[in-house]
Amino acid sequence: MKDKRVYAAIVVALACLLPLGLDEYKLHVVINSLFYVMMASSWNLLAGYTGQVSFAHAAFAGIGAYTSGILSVKAGFNPWAGIVIGMAAAGFVGFLVGVLCLRMGGIYLSLTTLGFSEILRIIITNEYEITRGTMGLQVPALMPVYSKTAYFYIMLGAAVLSLIVIYKMIYSDTGLNFRAVQNDEKAASSLGVDVVRIRVMAFTVSSILAGMAGGFYGHYLLLITPEIPSLDQQFLVLSMAVIGGLGSFVGPILGAFTLEILAEYIRGYGQYHVLVFGLVALAMARFSPRGVMGIVSDYKRRRNQSLIAAGELRG
Amino acid sequence: MNGVVIGVIYALAALGVSLVVGIMNVINFAHGELYILAGYFSFLFADALGWNMYLSLAVAVFLVFLFGIFIEYILIRPTYGNEMYSLILTFILSIVLQNAYLLIFGPYPNKPPTWIKGATEVFGLFFYGNQRLAALVVGAFVITAVFLVIKLTWFGKIVRAASQDREMAELNGVNTLYLNMLSFGLGCALAGAAGVILAPVFPVTPTAGVQVALTAFVVVVLGGMGSLWGCVVGGLVLGLVENLGAAFLSTGYKHIFGFIILILVLLIRPAGLFGRKEI
Amino acid sequence: MALLDCVQMSKRFGGVPALQDVSFSLNKGEIVGLIGPNGAGKTTLFNLVAGAIKPTEGRVFLKEIDITGLPAHRICRFGIGRTFQVTRPFAELTCLENVGVAIINRPRKLKGESWREKGMEYLEQVGLLQEAQTRAGDLNLIAKKKLEMARALASNPEILLLDEVLGGLNTQEIGQAVSIIKGLRDALGITLLWIEHIMGAIMGAADRIILLDQGRKLLEGTPAEVVRDERAIRAYLGED
């Protein structure tokens, strides 16, 4: 536990040095990756730890981005306050959707969230006067003088905050309840776990975190379009978590960086990255349900076992 | 009238989803893309290769059936008992297929030849496209055929037993491995049937399947998961509501009715109209 | 006053009756055996009491409080624990975490003790101390049964519903298990309702036996009375 904290601190400290060595474009890619780290990790909190699949995670990021954007453009709110209100809005909608579906079980959540994403897209494109539709809504920056480096530190701070919340949650009593519900909900409820409450809680928290990610991202891009809450975006987030490793803390972080950087390379040859990631994610979900991290931990376990076996032979 | 035609088509599209969810407790999120696949196949055979129209329809549906069996064997079978992975896998599959279509067929709508040209005067009141009427007749025919198969044949008996109580069916020696494979294939074939019937009316595009699938899901939740009668009633209800409601909202919001119905069902009667689910 | 009262419970599944008009009560500190042929409705009765399913008719009272139809987690917090006929461990969690789930969801929180410390006590009680950090999915059948028992105990129940905990054990293991179970009553004062197929064990341990047949209560009495009853022999005991 102590060790891990030290490692994490070193990684964050090294990350702080990144702007020194990267040009504007590379910094942009890293900032994008940080957005995806927040998205994939919070989606993993839901799918990897409670076993529920939401297809509206990108939609909740959209709610965060549009709420904050519209408030700051139309009502003159400070963008920082806008982001906080955007988080609250995402959490509130998430709570309502959760209460509505989760009495009936996980399949209903998946169906409803898919429908919800589509409806949100329809509303955003149709309410042109408020959202500027597919043209996109121009929003103010988070600081008086635009600076990529400053944005990098803000996104890094948001990502670290988000990861700390997730980490604390996973290793708390609530996290134990999450995993119990994921493993066997009938057994969990026979031991006093309020399954519906736990699921709604996980869904609400992950929606709030998505709202936060979307809010910051929108004010970074300065232009909010229906791309943010799209199903393609949802798919990217899902692939990052699945390929990196569901149910592992590090997996989605790795997945987010790897896929975002790869996507930038592949984009050079055309829009093939979605197809490529899709096929890889398909193979991963089928053959290694715990993603790359699952392969790593299996390998470690096997190596330990063979080391023990070798030790016994020698002893 | 238009509401009824659309309703029958909705029912047809939802039937495959309901069959699969009733037997396997798996939601196929790629259902819409299989609908589109059949549309592309029929376009390819009839238009590009110049085959006989009926032959190309039959071959298109059959190929989708085989593809369904293949999906079940490769992707779905290893996930039994873990509902989450079947949701994730079929969702990824739907995105992969969308992008593959985009790559192969391009973003433009494709339209197989219509079966019949012209329009008919209905009840001396208004003219209605013959192709749409044909879609209604064939759709109703396919639905009836599915009901007869479920009602009368050996396969149907097993399907009914398994959707009542899977464990009991297994204990009584039903080979659920083949049952799953067959019913998943059949579910996909039904999506394909809806696709070939509708493609001449609503041309297929790579992403048009999303809307088809969402509509099918609403119908299935409205009718009650796993209930085939529920599909028919749910499809008709949704078709009529959308048609009547269109008068009150701009066309951009046409699809919002499905979502409103979904919310209402979850609020008032979460098991759906004909839901059999014990909680 | 009885600790648990079940009054005229019935359950139908889609019109098919699984349980009809069954009434019984449990007194504090009793061990009551529930026997009957397969499909007699024993597990259905358990599920009704534990809140896993809702009765079509009838009421359940715990200390004269109506708990009919409450969700399973609330019934657990009222003090009714259960095991499952087919064990349901949280496979990806360690044994200690399995027990921990029950501890952290008690209505009264632990004071000055973490669930890890408390959990070890329960694992020790059933003899799983060595396996505390083992994934529950990796355990063998007997260890899984022990874990299931430890987990149910860790929710601190007044009444424990045991569903065929002896199935698959050999004679020696049965002896050990029965003495553990008796110890629960003698040392901890837990009241037990116990479904069992192994007649030798249940007849020796129970104070009272309830015999279900085809969804109805056929008879109720001391083990000695039940063994002698002709209806019991015809319905069940004679079969083997």
Side-chain angles (χ1 to χ4, degrees), chain A residues 52-249:
Chain A
Q52 307 168 86
V53 182
S54 159
F55 294 127
H57 210 58
F60 284 112
I63 290 180
Y66 273 100
T67 306
S68 173
I70 290 167
L71 283 177
S72 49
V73 172
K74 308 270 167 179
F77 272 65
N78 179 310
W80 290 90
I83 291 175
V84 174
I85 298 171
M87 286 166 67
F92 181 66
V93 178
F95 175 75
L96 290 184
V97 173
V99 168
L100 197 62
C101 310
L102 288 170
R103 285 176 300 162
M104 292 300 290
I107 285 188
Y108 284 81
L109 185 79
S110 300
L111 289 180
T112 310
T113 49
L114 189 68
F116 180 75
S117 308
E118 190 61 12
I119 291 309
L120 196 71
R121 188 186 64 79
I122 290 175
I123 293 175
I124 290 172
T125 17
N126 277 282
E127 295 303 321
Y128 181 82
E129 270 114 59
I130 303 171
T131 63
R132 297 272 125 207
T134 44
M135 298 282 295
L137 181 70
Q138 287 192 349
V139 296
L142 285 169
M143 70 265 318
V145 185
Y146 185 90
S147 143
K148 259 216 161 95
T149 313
Y151 265 114
F152 167 77
Y153 287 116
I154 290 171
M155 286 302 262
L156 183 66
V160 169
L161 177 68
S162 182
L163 290 175
I164 290 175
V165 169
I166 292 168
Y167 190 86
K168 290 260 180 212
M169 200 139 197
I170 295 171
Y171 291 101
S172 69
D173 287 3
T174 311
L176 189 55
N177 278 334
F178 281 3
R179 286 156 67 215
V181 168
Q182 180 190 25
N183 269 259
D184 189 331
E185 53 186 85
K186 276 204 181 124
S189 68
S190 86
L191 297 174
V193 181
D194 187 342
V195 174
V196 175
R197 195 178 137 258
I198 289 291
R199 287 167 152 182
V200 172
M201 190 202 278
F203 187 60
T204 309
V205 170
S206 98
S207 302
I208 293 173
L209 292 176
M212 177 171 94
F216 277 109
Y217 196 49
H219 285 290
Y220 162 66
L221 294 177
L222 303 182
L223 184 73
I224 303 173
T225 65
E227 269 296 292
I228 296 180
S230 69
L231 276 181
D232 284 340
Q233 187 87 281
Q234 171 64 46
F235 162 78
L236 271 185
V237 170
L238 182 148
S239 307
M240 288 163 177
V242 167
I243 294 175
L246 281 179
S248 113
F249 181 75

Side-chain angles (χ1 to χ4, degrees), chain C residues 23-201:
Chain C
S23 304
F24 71 94
S25 42
L26 293 180
N27 298 310
K28 187 158 178 48
E30 259 189 317
I31 298 180
V32 175
L34 190 58
I35 64 171
N38 283 327
K42 303 183 297 283
T43 299
T44 305
L45 186 61
F46 258 37
N47 285 335
L48 291 179
V49 174
I53 55 178
K54 290 180 177 132
T56 319
E57 281 151 35
R59 307 259 109 198
V60 187
F61 299 93
L62 179 69
K63 296 181 197 160
E64 295 183 338
I65 300 167
D66 189 348
I67 58 165
T68 320
L70 289 182
H73 69 270
R74 297 217 28 215
I75 291 200
C76 169
R77 289 177 191 183
F78 267 111
I80 301 183
R82 74 169 298 179
T83 67
F84 293 90
Q85 188 179 351
V86 179
T87 58
R88 311 185 74 130
F90 304 122
E92 304 285 329
L93 274 56
T94 65
C95 290
L96 183 57
E97 287 171 332
N98 264 271
V99 177
V101 172
I103 297 173
I104 60 175
N105 285 290
R106 286 179 182 182
R108 253 178 251 137
K109 297 289 160 229
L110 289 180
K111 282 187 199 116
E113 207 178 2
S114 78
W115 61 261
R116 288 169 204 280
E117 289 159 5
K118 192 78 191 164
M120 293 306 262
E121 290 173 22
Y122 287 101
L123 290 179
E124 189 172 12
Q125 210 169 343
V126 297
L128 279 180
L129 213 49
Q130 297 295 315
E131 284 83 3
Q133 299 305 331
T134 309
R135 255 177 96 256
D138 295 339
L139 297 174
N140 62 25
L141 177 72
I142 293 166
K144 275 182 186 157
K145 293 209 167 204
K146 286 177 175 172
L147 179 63
E148 183 111 339
M149 183 89 104
R151 217 170 51 168
L153 285 174
S155 66
N156 205 14
E158 270 185 86
I159 299 175
L160 186 57
L161 312 177
L162 297 173
D163 199 345
E164 290 195 29
V165 282
L166 303 182
L169 305 190
N170 66 32
T171 324
Q172 196 196 347
E173 289 158 349
I174 288 176
Q176 287 171 358
V178 169
S179 67
I180 292 179
I181 295 169
K182 273 183 159 171
L184 300 179
R185 192 261 308 261
D186 299 339
L188 303 170
I190 297 174
T191 308
L192 296 163
L193 180 62
W194 182 3
I195 296 180
E196 196 50 76
H197 267 304
I198 296 171
M199 285 303 124

